[in-house]
Amino acid sequence: MSKTSARTSKLHLGFVGLGRMGLNMAARLHHGGISCVGYDANPKARAALRKLGATAAASLRELVTALPTPRAVWLMVPAGVVDSVLDELLPLLARGDCVIDGGNSHYTEDLRRAERLRKRGVDAMDVGVSGGVWGRERGYCLMIGGPKPAFKRLEPVFATLAPGVAAAPRTAGRKGKPDMAEQGYLHCGPNGAGHFVKMVHNGIEYAVMAAYAEGFNVLKHANAGRAAQESDAETTPLEYPEHYRYDLPVGEISELWRRGTVIGSWLLDLTAEEMLQDDELKAYAGRVSDSGEGRWTLQAAIDEGVPATQLAAALFARFSSRGNALYANQVMSAMRHAFGGHAEKPAGGK
Amino acid sequence: MSKTSARTSKLHLGFVGLGRMGLNMAARLHHGGISCVGYDANPKARAALRKLGATAAASLRELVTALPTPRAVWLMVPAGVVDSVLDELLPLLARGDCVIDGGNSHYTEDLRRAERLRKRGVDAMDVGVSGGVWGRERGYCLMIGGPKPAFKRLEPVFATLAPGVAAAPRTAGRKGKPDMAEQGYLHCGPNGAGHFVKMVHNGIEYAVMAAYAEGFNVLKHANAGRAAQESDAETTPLEYPEHYRYDLPVGEISELWRRGTVIGSWLLDLTAEEMLQDDELKAYAGRVSDSGEGRWTLQAAIDEGVPATQLAAALFARFSSRGNALYANQVMSAMRHAFGGHAEKPAGGK
Amino acid sequence: MSKTSARTSKLHLGFVGLGRMGLNMAARLHHGGISCVGYDANPKARAALRKLGATAAASLRELVTALPTPRAVWLMVPAGVVDSVLDELLPLLARGDCVIDGGNSHYTEDLRRAERLRKRGVDAMDVGVSGGVWGRERGYCLMIGGPKPAFKRLEPVFATLAPGVAAAPRTAGRKGKPDMAEQGYLHCGPNGAGHFVKMVHNGIEYAVMAAYAEGFNVLKHANAGRAAQESDAETTPLEYPEHYRYDLPVGEISELWRRGTVIGSWLLDLTAEEMLQDDELKAYAGRVSDSGEGRWTLQAAIDEGVPATQLAAALFARFSSRGNALYANQVMSAMRHAFGGHAEKPAGGK
Amino acid sequence: MSKTSARTSKLHLGFVGLGRMGLNMAARLHHGGISCVGYDANPKARAALRKLGATAAASLRELVTALPTPRAVWLMVPAGVVDSVLDELLPLLARGDCVIDGGNSHYTEDLRRAERLRKRGVDAMDVGVSGGVWGRERGYCLMIGGPKPAFKRLEPVFATLAPGVAAAPRTAGRKGKPDMAEQGYLHCGPNGAGHFVKMVHNGIEYAVMAAYAEGFNVLKHANAGRAAQESDAETTPLEYPEHYRYDLPVGEISELWRRGTVIGSWLLDLTAEEMLQDDELKAYAGRVSDSGEGRWTLQAAIDEGVPATQLAAALFARFSSRGNALYANQVMSAMRHAFGGHAEKPAGGK
């Protein structure tokens, strides 16, 4: 990444929050030539940063003091504590400084906080970061919101964190110097735009995951016709059991689809990796958590008046996987009992 | 129903299959003045029919012999045995006779069987029957397919089984002598049309049931904000727990909605009845069976190229209620583990 | 309703908002023996009230003055103007008075407003009202939230507006004096509970409507096999066109299902009425509006973590009906073009 | 691909159907060292094959004659004509020959045809082929069903068509000689298994496409708050229009997400390519066709009793995009009119 060397020689960054994600990002920045001063309340996290050769401050105050002005401080802390970190940090900053929220804040929080910072002459930026535990090596995709001048000033930081154009073949028709989107970071718009785009990214992720999950489930049950056919009035018998007598190698299929198909993707790559260990996936009970962005994307779709049926179904499948459809199901069983005298079948059947 | 007296004095009907449904129907016919000869392989069922004052035959042959020509034989047997009953019955019948399938056959079976009967000069009729365990008293809604002349000849039978116009207020704009739809039976079209309409009826039923079930589940969880808020990275905390602190009387609400609302319905009436016993519905485990028609309606929608998202979601909610989404959920958990290092949360959380 | 006579002789109610809904409610109250003083900014509305024999005030101040203390003022105004009406009304009220919001407010607004009113010693009540244009005659189902004492004091008002127990057969197992739910009104809980329950009522309504709509669409297309089968690579031919050759009498079927079926309901009654005019429904372009409660119910389900797939699909079908899926569809067409060279088929095909 | 040279020197393949897909496949085979004899009814297609240096037969008979025994004939013809090709081809074949169906047949057809061929001592194989217009260069992913010995004999053909292991990084944990799944072809099971797996692949494809499409639509409408807010009773106003004032660069975002995110995929690569031309996608009207496999996957899910909500919603979104929800929407508008007097809003609004 020689092109950034001239710029990065000048750039210093404060980095608050050295958890799993933050420490990896700080490491990538440090190795990329950005001068990083990190802080975390946990001394072990600070020690880990020092081990990488970067500077760890013992307090927010020390971190702020160590930075040349105008300062830039990147927060990589849980969404729930951003405001309290700002409470402590903001009085230490000066006009022209900049605070970047790289965590999982809802974009409407960005709008509110930008207003708060603006009153003190401090710029706010929001950055949706994708890359997970793989990003240190693979680079982080950065979806960025906030004032353009602040973005310009910090561009070397973003370029260093991003995967770079070589991470994927160039799109047909793209020529010349790669633009920022091709390098893996993008100024998406004013405050909140970065987290908005990241939110939708996660919404898509939920639905794509559910799409694969359903498909593998259909493959897994391709032997449904082998089961002894129950024949009571509460069960729909398979009309053609002879059509469902396949014991498909789902793990090998997840590997197979990685090459040459329409559905190749990184999520599929990961699925193949998991299934290589055990394609019965016995390590998992199937209780799927969700962490906010899927819910927020759905709310955005509702507000905008655009359909998001896939996303809704994917989110709700997760809710159901955690047992939250129980009462709804009881209501249906009760109705069936009431109008048809139907009794529920015991567990174990289909 | 004085108008049917002249006709019914002449009408005889053979009735095969005296199970819960069939016996009630035969009873309603008998009391309505139709001369019924019933048959069931089970001697207890035949005894029950005799107790009602109607005639029970000891065999299909005896039943056929007891009927004046042209004969009409109503089958009220499980869909899976219709063909074998026909194997035995058909050789006993003569040109001009008629066989009515009042069970839950797929309408495409009607098309096939009509062809078979036509070759022997026997008319086939298919009748979708709604009414469940309540029909003897309430009357049965009849959706009828088959040749018009046969329908005309049997109309007194249908009129006797049907609820009659008094079962609901007349629709504004309907005047004069009630037509057949108002009385609760309808000739819907050629062979298969009756079961087609009944199939879609049940498809709608699935989706309507799921609509209420979801709504009651939302009411039931209106106290979600009372639960101690978990705060780990795998859980989305409620943004405003103070908005979800209602312990709503769901049972009373099911009763409340029966009067004056937009969503009043017979299914709601039944729900109110069930909830009056126990609005926790503890008698039900929430494993909801499905019995074919919902699946068939969905297949019809697919063939026709029309959307049936509600119905699909309702059917699939039943599949999920029986644990059939398990592998799909495991796949999603495995993916989350692979890209984000997320571990599943134990059962008991939300 | 003799039991209410003693109470209603004493009860006065201020009624603000005499639009289509409000005027009908005021009329029902007036005829039910509640002494009503109404107000509306529109003189024609006030004149209409006077025509009914009730009192119309020329201003909010005049309305407040006309009421004995403790006063009760029912607001039946658009959700968007409740706050500005309160701005004007609140200074005119005294400790112990009560304001009832009978409009379509989001229940979280009730929570906020109750706080505001409480500071002035005024009770807030929220009432979800179902009944639409039919309520004057049929009665209104009332879902009520707010402090119990205020509810008790106003119960005669609620009982007068409600349909009364005779509006539906009593639920099996209900005996003795009908409780409030059976009469069609219910104290559901503290502030907001009324609008919460009404919100979910409407969410269910959306999904139930969509269920019928899908079913009738499947019936309508039962003749799909008659169409000349297109045979290009972009079209899936019907495997068995002979299975889809029914021209079903959808209007008559809507009437038929009103009696004896599992899916009888008021919505079906109304559908039968509309289809009696024209079962092609040519008066409608199929652009289906939504008015908030469906969106709110979906958000509540998301917050509670319970699945609402039916409701989501129903809401999103409305969004799509208004053309809001367009860009999503263009994205899918673009993808198909990109990976398979597929060109879109012109409009007019299936 | 040196490892296949010894084998391929001996392998001859008859190839029937030289359309867009077939010709490219034959070209890849020819260049990979498989001796191909092709046939197509269209003389231009035969000429195109000769131009590549491969042999074109003037008739099926000539093609069969040109092949050494045991013969292998690959059909790459529309699903609708496979049976008639077999009518002509089968009498020309001998015991021990093999016919491979590489087209889009429903897997149940494979089961039926395998029986037919077995009676003549001919092996049937079914191969689901993914790769579209890109496969000649990129290789084809092959999902294969049929008897194992026939598979073994033809493995060099499959290996030549497949992308090869280098087409994607090896999955962590995979070592040594790449197995067939890693090379991009897999023997999935007995007859039908290949098309079954390909069918589910396409089902997943539908749902993944819809997931991206919904997400981009949410991004596209992130400026919903800029529109003048309508305020009539039929429109839900945005509660916080200031939250929806982003004009997001959707085209650049599609490029951005290609690197470092969780949702990177080949479909996204293609989307970025399309959006680079015009991110308004004006060339597309949004009428999305479907070509069978999505429908079949949904039917398989129904038969197996496993939920496929994502897939159903994706398929039905396509149906709706072609106007097939119209009558359902009219029913909903009619109901709204009937119970609430709601009139439809004209087109142009939201």
Side-chain angles (χ1 to χ4, degrees):
Chain A
M1 244 179 269
S2 60
K3 69 187 180 303
T4 61
S5 60
R7 290 182 284 175
T8 55
S9 63
K10 295 187 296 256
L11 226 97
H12 292 69
L13 185 73
F15 205 96
V16 178
L18 301 168
R20 186 169 53 178
M21 192 83 176
L23 189 68
N24 279 335
M25 292 174 71
R28 188 171 172 94
L29 287 167
H30 179 70
H31 292 138
I34 305 287
S35 177
C36 259
V37 188
Y39 170 73
D40 193 292
N42 182 344
K44 282 187 192 163
R46 299 200 296 266
L49 183 66
R50 282 195 200 98
K51 219 171 179 174
L52 296 169
T55 311
S59 67
L60 278 184
R61 179 175 297 274
E62 196 180 303
L63 176 137
V64 168
T65 310
L67 292 169
T69 57
R71 299 175 194 92
V73 183
W74 185 298
L75 308 187
M76 208 67 205
V77 299
V81 306
V82 171
D83 280 317
S84 62
V85 170
L86 286 179
D87 289 345
E88 192 183 341
L89 178 64
L90 212 45
L92 306 171
L93 297 181
R95 296 193 77 77
D97 288 351
C98 177
V99 176
I100 304 112
D101 180 0
N104 291 318
S105 297
H106 193 185
Y107 78 95
T108 58
E109 299 287 319
D110 299 325
L111 290 168
R112 183 177 57 72
R113 288 177 191 138
E115 203 52 51
R116 180 181 178 192
L117 271 64
R118 197 172 295 133
K119 286 179 185 151
R120 294 191 52 98
V122 173
D123 285 327
M125 304 218 65
D126 53 282
V127 183
V129 178
S130 186
V133 293
W134 301 81
R136 182 170 172 176
E137 182 185 330
R138 230 180 151 230
Y140 299 91
C141 179
L142 304 179
M143 299 150 250
I144 306 164
K148 194 99 182 205
F151 165 76
K152 278 289 170 200
R153 185 157 68 85
L154 291 165
E155 194 165 356
V157 170
F158 302 134
T160 304
L161 284 170
V165 67
R170 291 192 80 178
T171 294
R174 295 243 178 207
K175 280 166 206 152
K177 187 164 169 293
D179 69 14
M180 54 184 172
E182 288 188 271
Q183 294 179 55
Y185 67 95
L186 183 69
H187 183 249
C188 299
N191 290 117
H195 278 139
F196 190 99
V197 174
K198 175 57 162 52
M199 170 186 83
V200 176
H201 164 279
N202 284 32
I204 294 173
E205 172 192 313
Y206 277 45
V208 171
M209 287 171 67
Y212 286 114
E214 282 187 356
F216 279 108
N217 203 21
V218 173
L219 293 178
K220 188 75 177 174
H221 287 76
N223 61 2
R226 284 199 204 286
Q229 293 286 306
E230 300 171 83
S231 60
D232 56 290
E234 295 304 297
T235 307
T236 312
L238 259 175
E239 194 175 355
Y240 299 108
E242 67 273 25
H243 290 173
Y244 296 95
R245 290 191 177 146
Y246 299 112
D247 295 306
L248 298 172
V250 286
E252 288 301 294
I253 291 167
S254 70
E255 179 66 37
L256 172 71
W257 283 344
R258 296 182 61 227
R259 292 173 181 86
T261 71
V262 177
I263 60 172
S265 71
W266 192 53
L267 279 166
L268 182 65
D269 295 347
L270 298 171
T271 306
E273 212 171 303
E274 289 279 331
M275 288 202 180
L276 183 62
Q277 309 302 316
D278 168 26
D279 69 8
E280 295 285 334
L281 300 173
K282 291 205 199 78
Y284 304 98
R287 297 179 52 82
V288 193
S289 293
D290 76 284
S291 51
E293 290 89 351
R295 299 177 180 210
W296 299 337
T297 311
L298 194 48
Q299 286 173 335
I302 296 168
D303 285 343
E304 295 178 2
V306 301
T309 319
Q310 303 294 123
L311 173 56
L315 181 66
F316 294 150
R318 293 189 179 196
F319 291 174
S320 290
S321 80
R322 285 154 22 211
N324 299 352
L326 176 60
Y327 192 68
N329 295 335
Q330 290 173 306
V331 170
M332 289 193 281
S333 276
M335 285 180 174
R336 294 187 83 242
H337 179 259
F339 70 71
H342 303 291
E344 282 189 325
K345 295 186 64 185
K350 290 276 169 140
Chain B
M1 243 178 273
S2 61
K3 70 183 180 305
T4 60
S5 59
R7 289 184 284 176
T8 54
S9 64
K10 295 188 296 256
L11 225 94
H12 292 69
L13 185 72
F15 205 96
V16 178
L18 301 168
R20 187 169 52 178
M21 192 81 176
L23 190 68
N24 279 334
M25 292 174 71
R28 187 171 173 93
L29 287 167
H30 179 71
H31 293 137
I34 304 287
S35 177
C36 259
V37 189
Y39 170 74
D40 192 291
N42 183 343
K44 282 187 191 164
R46 299 198 297 265
L49 182 67
R50 282 193 201 100
K51 220 168 178 177
L52 295 169
T55 311
S59 67
L60 278 182
R61 178 174 297 273
E62 194 179 305
L63 176 136
V64 169
T65 310
L67 293 169
T69 55
R71 301 175 192 91
V73 183
W74 186 298
L75 308 187
M76 208 68 204
V77 299
V81 306
V82 172
D83 280 318
S84 62
V85 170
L86 286 179
D87 289 345
E88 191 181 343
L89 178 64
L90 212 45
L92 307 172
L93 298 181
R95 296 193 78 79
D97 288 351
C98 176
V99 176
I100 305 112
D101 180 0
N104 290 318
S105 297
H106 192 183
Y107 78 96
T108 57
E109 300 286 320
D110 298 326
L111 290 168
R112 183 177 57 73
R113 288 177 191 140
E115 202 52 50
R116 180 180 178 191
L117 270 63
R118 196 171 297 131
K119 285 178 187 153
R120 294 190 54 97
V122 173
D123 284 327
M125 304 218 66
D126 53 282
V127 183
V129 177
S130 187
V133 292
W134 301 80
R136 180 170 171 177
E137 186 182 329
R138 231 182 149 227
Y140 299 91
C141 178
L142 304 179
M143 300 150 249
I144 306 164
K148 195 96 183 210
F151 165 75
K152 278 290 169 198
R153 185 159 67 88
L154 292 166
E155 194 165 355
V157 170
F158 303 134
T160 304
L161 285 170
V165 67
R170 291 191 80 177
T171 295
R174 295 247 177 203
K175 281 168 207 150
K177 188 165 168 291
D179 68 15
M180 55 183 171
E182 288 189 270
Q183 295 179 54
Y185 67 95
L186 182 68
H187 183 250
C188 299
N191 290 115
H195 278 139
F196 190 99
V197 174
K198 174 56 162 50
M199 171 186 82
V200 175
H201 164 280
N202 283 33
I204 294 173
E205 172 193 313
Y206 278 43
V208 171
M209 287 171 68
Y212 286 114
E214 281 187 356
F216 280 108
N217 203 21
V218 173
L219 293 179
K220 188 77 178 173
H221 287 77
N223 62 1
R226 284 198 202 286
Q229 292 287 306
E230 300 170 84
S231 61
D232 57 290
E234 295 303 299
T235 309
T236 312
L238 258 177
E239 194 174 355
Y240 299 108
E242 67 273 24
H243 290 173
Y244 296 95
R245 291 192 176 145
Y246 299 112
D247 295 306
L248 298 172
V250 287
E252 288 302 294
I253 292 167
S254 69
E255 179 66 38
L256 173 71
W257 283 344
R258 296 182 61 227
R259 293 174 181 86
T261 71
V262 177
I263 60 172
S265 72
W266 190 53
L267 279 166
L268 182 65
D269 295 347
L270 297 172
T271 305
E273 212 172 301
E274 289 279 329
M275 289 202 181
L276 182 62
Q277 309 302 316
D278 168 25
D279 68 9
E280 296 286 336
L281 300 173
K282 290 204 201 79
Y284 303 99
R287 296 179 53 81
V288 193
S289 292
D290 77 282
S291 51
E293 291 88 350
R295 301 177 178 209
W296 299 337
T297 311
L298 194 47
Q299 287 175 333
I302 296 168
D303 285 344
E304 295 179 3
V306 301
T309 320
Q310 303 294 124
L311 173 56
L315 181 65
F316 294 150
R318 294 190 177 194
F319 291 173
S320 290
S321 80
R322 294 172 349 229
N324 298 351
L326 176 60
Y327 191 68
N329 295 335
Q330 290 172 304
V331 169
M332 288 193 282
S333 277
M335 284 181 173
R336 294 187 82 243
H337 179 260
F339 72 71
H342 303 291
E344 283 189 325
K345 295 186 62 184
K350 290 277 170 141
Chain C
M1 243 179 271
S2 60
K3 69 186 178 306
T4 61
S5 60
R7 292 184 281 176
T8 55
S9 64
K10 295 187 296 255
L11 225 95
H12 292 68
L13 184 73
F15 206 96
V16 178
L18 302 168
R20 187 168 52 180
M21 191 82 177
L23 189 68
N24 279 334
M25 292 174 71
R28 187 171 173 97
L29 287 167
H30 179 71
H31 292 137
I34 306 286
S35 177
C36 259
V37 188
Y39 169 73
D40 192 293
N42 182 344
K44 282 187 191 165
R46 299 199 297 266
L49 183 67
R50 282 194 201 100
K51 218 168 177 178
L52 296 168
T55 311
S59 67
L60 278 182
R61 178 173 298 273
E62 196 179 303
L63 175 136
V64 169
T65 310
L67 292 169
T69 57
R71 300 175 194 93
V73 183
W74 186 298
L75 308 187
M76 208 66 205
V77 299
V81 306
V82 171
D83 280 317
S84 62
V85 170
L86 286 179
D87 290 344
E88 191 182 342
L89 178 65
L90 213 45
L92 306 171
L93 298 181
R95 294 194 78 79
D97 288 352
C98 176
V99 177
I100 305 111
D101 180 359
N104 291 318
S105 296
H106 193 184
Y107 77 96
T108 59
E109 300 286 320
D110 298 326
L111 290 168
R112 184 177 57 72
R113 288 177 190 137
E115 203 52 49
R116 180 182 178 191
L117 271 62
R118 196 171 297 134
K119 286 178 187 153
R120 294 190 54 97
V122 173
D123 284 327
M125 304 218 66
D126 54 281
V127 183
V129 178
S130 187
V133 293
W134 302 79
R136 181 170 173 177
E137 185 184 327
R138 230 179 151 230
Y140 299 91
C141 179
L142 304 179
M143 299 150 250
I144 306 165
K148 194 97 182 208
F151 166 76
K152 279 287 169 202
R153 185 159 67 86
L154 291 165
E155 195 165 354
V157 169
F158 302 134
T160 304
L161 284 170
V165 67
R170 290 192 81 177
T171 294
R174 296 244 178 207
K175 282 167 206 150
K177 187 165 166 293
D179 68 15
M180 56 184 170
E182 288 188 272
Q183 295 178 56
Y185 66 95
L186 183 69
H187 183 249
C188 299
N191 290 116
H195 279 138
F196 190 99
V197 174
K198 175 56 161 52
M199 171 186 82
V200 176
H201 164 280
N202 284 33
I204 294 172
E205 171 193 315
Y206 277 44
V208 171
M209 286 171 68
Y212 286 115
E214 280 188 357
F216 280 109
N217 202 21
V218 173
L219 293 179
K220 188 74 177 176
H221 287 76
N223 62 2
R226 284 200 202 285
Q229 292 287 308
E230 299 172 84
S231 60
D232 56 291
E234 295 303 298
T235 308
T236 313
L238 258 176
E239 195 173 354
Y240 299 107
E242 66 273 24
H243 291 173
Y244 297 95
R245 291 194 175 140
Y246 299 112
D247 295 306
L248 298 171
V250 286
E252 288 302 293
I253 291 168
S254 69
E255 179 66 36
L256 172 71
W257 283 345
R258 296 183 61 226
R259 292 174 181 85
T261 71
V262 177
I263 59 172
S265 72
W266 192 52
L267 280 166
L268 183 65
D269 294 348
L270 297 172
T271 306
E273 212 171 302
E274 288 279 331
M275 288 201 180
L276 183 61
Q277 309 303 314
D278 167 27
D279 68 9
E280 296 285 335
L281 300 173
K282 290 205 199 77
Y284 304 98
R287 296 179 53 82
V288 193
S289 293
D290 76 284
S291 51
E293 290 88 351
R295 299 178 179 209
W296 299 337
T297 310
L298 194 48
Q299 287 174 335
I302 296 168
D303 285 343
E304 296 179 2
V306 301
T309 319
Q310 303 294 124
L311 173 56
L315 181 64
F316 294 150
R318 293 189 178 195
F319 291 174
S320 290
S321 81
R322 283 149 29 208
N324 297 351
L326 175 61
Y327 192 68
N329 295 335
Q330 289 173 306
V331 169
M332 288 193 280
S333 276
M335 285 181 174
R336 295 186 83 243
H337 179 259
F339 71 70
H342 303 291
E344 282 189 324
K345 296 186 62 185
K350 290 279 168 137
Chain D
M1 242 177 273
S2 60
K3 69 186 182 303
T4 60
S5 61
R7 290 183 282 175
T8 55
S9 65
K10 296 186 295 255
L11 225 94
H12 292 70
L13 185 72
F15 205 97
V16 178
L18 301 168
R20 189 169 50 180
M21 192 80 175
L23 189 68
N24 279 334
M25 292 175 71
R28 188 172 173 95
L29 287 167
H30 179 71
H31 293 136
I34 305 286
S35 178
C36 258
V37 189
Y39 170 74
D40 193 291
N42 183 344
K44 282 186 192 167
R46 299 199 297 265
L49 182 67
R50 283 194 201 99
K51 220 170 175 174
L52 295 168
T55 311
S59 67
L60 278 182
R61 178 174 297 275
E62 196 180 304
L63 177 137
V64 169
T65 310
L67 292 169
T69 55
R71 300 176 193 92
V73 183
W74 186 298
L75 308 188
M76 208 68 205
V77 299
V81 305
V82 172
D83 280 318
S84 62
V85 171
L86 286 178
D87 289 345
E88 191 182 342
L89 178 65
L90 212 45
L92 307 171
L93 298 181
R95 294 194 78 79
D97 289 350
C98 176
V99 176
I100 305 111
D101 180 359
N104 291 317
S105 296
H106 192 184
Y107 77 95
T108 57
E109 299 287 319
D110 298 326
L111 291 168
R112 184 177 56 71
R113 288 177 190 138
E115 202 52 50
R116 180 181 177 191
L117 271 63
R118 196 172 297 134
K119 285 178 188 152
R120 294 191 53 98
V122 174
D123 284 327
M125 304 217 66
D126 54 282
V127 183
V129 178
S130 186
V133 292
W134 300 80
R136 180 171 172 175
E137 186 183 327
R138 232 180 150 228
Y140 300 91
C141 178
L142 305 179
M143 299 150 248
I144 306 164
K148 194 98 181 208
F151 166 75
K152 277 290 170 200
R153 184 158 68 86
L154 291 165
E155 194 165 356
V157 169
F158 302 134
T160 303
L161 284 170
V165 69
R170 291 191 81 176
T171 294
R174 295 248 177 201
K175 281 168 208 150
K177 187 163 168 292
D179 69 14
M180 55 183 172
E182 287 189 271
Q183 295 180 55
Y185 66 94
L186 183 69
H187 183 250
C188 298
N191 290 116
H195 278 137
F196 190 99
V197 175
K198 174 57 161 50
M199 170 186 83
V200 175
H201 163 280
N202 284 33
I204 294 173
E205 171 193 314
Y206 277 44
V208 172
M209 287 171 68
Y212 286 115
E214 281 187 357
F216 280 108
N217 202 21
V218 173
L219 293 179
K220 188 77 179 173
H221 287 76
N223 62 1
R226 285 199 202 285
Q229 292 287 307
E230 300 171 84
S231 61
D232 56 290
E234 295 304 298
T235 308
T236 312
L238 258 176
E239 194 174 357
Y240 300 108
E242 66 273 24
H243 289 173
Y244 296 95
R245 290 192 176 143
Y246 300 112
D247 294 307
L248 298 172
V250 287
E252 287 302 294
I253 292 168
S254 70
E255 179 66 38
L256 172 71
W257 283 345
R258 297 183 61 226
R259 292 175 181 85
T261 71
V262 177
I263 60 171
S265 72
W266 191 54
L267 279 166
L268 182 65
D269 295 347
L270 297 172
T271 306
E273 212 171 303
E274 289 279 330
M275 289 202 180
L276 183 62
Q277 309 302 315
D278 167 26
D279 69 8
E280 296 285 336
L281 301 173
K282 290 205 200 78
Y284 303 98
R287 296 177 54 80
V288 193
S289 293
D290 77 284
S291 51
E293 290 88 351
R295 300 177 179 209
W296 298 337
T297 311
L298 194 48
Q299 287 174 334
I302 296 168
D303 285 344
E304 295 178 3
V306 301
T309 320
Q310 303 293 125
L311 174 56
L315 181 65
F316 294 150
R318 294 189 178 195
F319 291 174
S320 289
S321 81
R322 299 183 331 240
N324 298 351
L326 176 61
Y327 191 68
N329 295 335
Q330 290 173 305
V331 169
M332 288 193 280
S333 276
M335 284 180 174
R336 295 187 82 242
H337 179 260
F339 71 71
H342 303 291
E344 283 190 325
K345 295 187 61 184
K350 291 277 169 136

